[in-house]
Amino acid sequence: MEEIYKLKSQGMLYKELAEKCNCSDVTILKRLAEYCEQNNLEIPKVKKRRKQITLPMEEIYKLKSQGMSYRKIAEKYDCAYETIRRRLTEYEDELILRNKYLEILLYDFNKIIDNVLNKTFGSFYDDKENQKQDDYSFIKK
């Protein structure tokens, strides 16, 4: 455990320590916590963060919607399944916001078009019997 403590203090990851000791990272974490408690030591903090990776979210979204699990996707992109789950949730939230924004833009655009058509073609449309307010189907055909 003393060697594991030193390696962890030098920045080795729990996953790497687990591979070195041929056990799970949870086992390393528990044993290291016990060792530190018995010897009045603090559990070494991770000094370096993992390199942030760029994930192709559209592709991941397609894989998930085709039924692939978070774990399988994480294995494919060599990252934690929590990362896939979190980023996918963020991506879906972004899609929802984008769609709402586009709906608002489309609604505003249609109002502007109706207003422009009303001003432009309203004076040329003399057939009062057939004229309906905001109905420009005769132009759209």
Side-chain angles (χ1 to χ4, degrees):
M1 283 312 302
E2 186 177 336
E3 182 183 344
I4 290 173
Y5 180 81
K6 286 179 185 176
L7 291 172
K8 183 63 186 157
S9 298
Q10 294 169 359
M12 189 175 269
L13 302 173
Y14 286 109
K15 185 177 180 178
E16 295 169 338
L17 289 167
E19 288 173 5
K20 181 177 176 70
C21 297
N22 198 24
C23 63
S24 75
D25 51 348
V26 175
T27 302
I28 294 292
L29 178 64
K30 286 180 180 180
R31 297 256 173 92
L32 188 59
E34 290 170 3
Y35 174 80
C36 289
E37 187 177 327
Q38 291 170 357
N39 294 293
N40 292 329
L41 300 169
E42 285 190 36
I43 297 175
K45 305 288 183 208
V46 177
K47 294 180 182 176
K48 58 181 181 179
R49 293 188 63 171
R50 279 184 86 174
K51 184 178 122 181
Q52 187 158 1
I53 58 173
T54 303
L55 297 170
M57 292 312 300
E58 287 180 27
E59 187 177 324
I60 290 172
Y61 182 76
K62 286 177 188 174
L63 291 172
K64 185 63 182 157
S65 54
Q66 292 169 357
M68 188 179 273
S69 71
Y70 291 124
R71 290 210 187 269
K72 292 283 184 191
I73 296 170
E75 287 174 12
K76 180 175 180 167
Y77 293 102
D78 192 31
C79 63
Y81 84 96
E82 294 92 353
T83 301
I84 296 295
R85 186 177 46 78
R86 181 178 40 80
R87 296 240 189 125
L88 198 52
T89 302
E90 291 169 358
Y91 182 76
E92 288 169 341
D93 290 346
E94 183 182 313
L95 284 178
I96 291 168
L97 285 175
R98 190 181 312 159
N99 287 339
K100 285 185 180 188
Y101 179 70
L102 288 175
E103 285 176 19
I104 292 168
L105 283 177
L106 184 60
Y107 176 78
D108 289 346
F109 179 74
N110 283 333
K111 284 180 74 173
I112 291 168
I113 292 299
D114 284 345
N115 193 14
V116 168
L117 289 174
N118 192 27
K119 287 180 182 176
T120 305
F121 294 106
S123 60
F124 296 111
Y125 196 51
D126 293 339
D127 188 4
K128 301 289 183 190
E129 292 173 14
N130 295 327
Q131 184 177 11
K132 295 178 186 171
Q133 190 166 352
D134 294 339
D135 180 18
Y136 302 101
S137 57
F138 67 97
I139 296 171
K140 294 175 184 175
K141 291 180 184 175

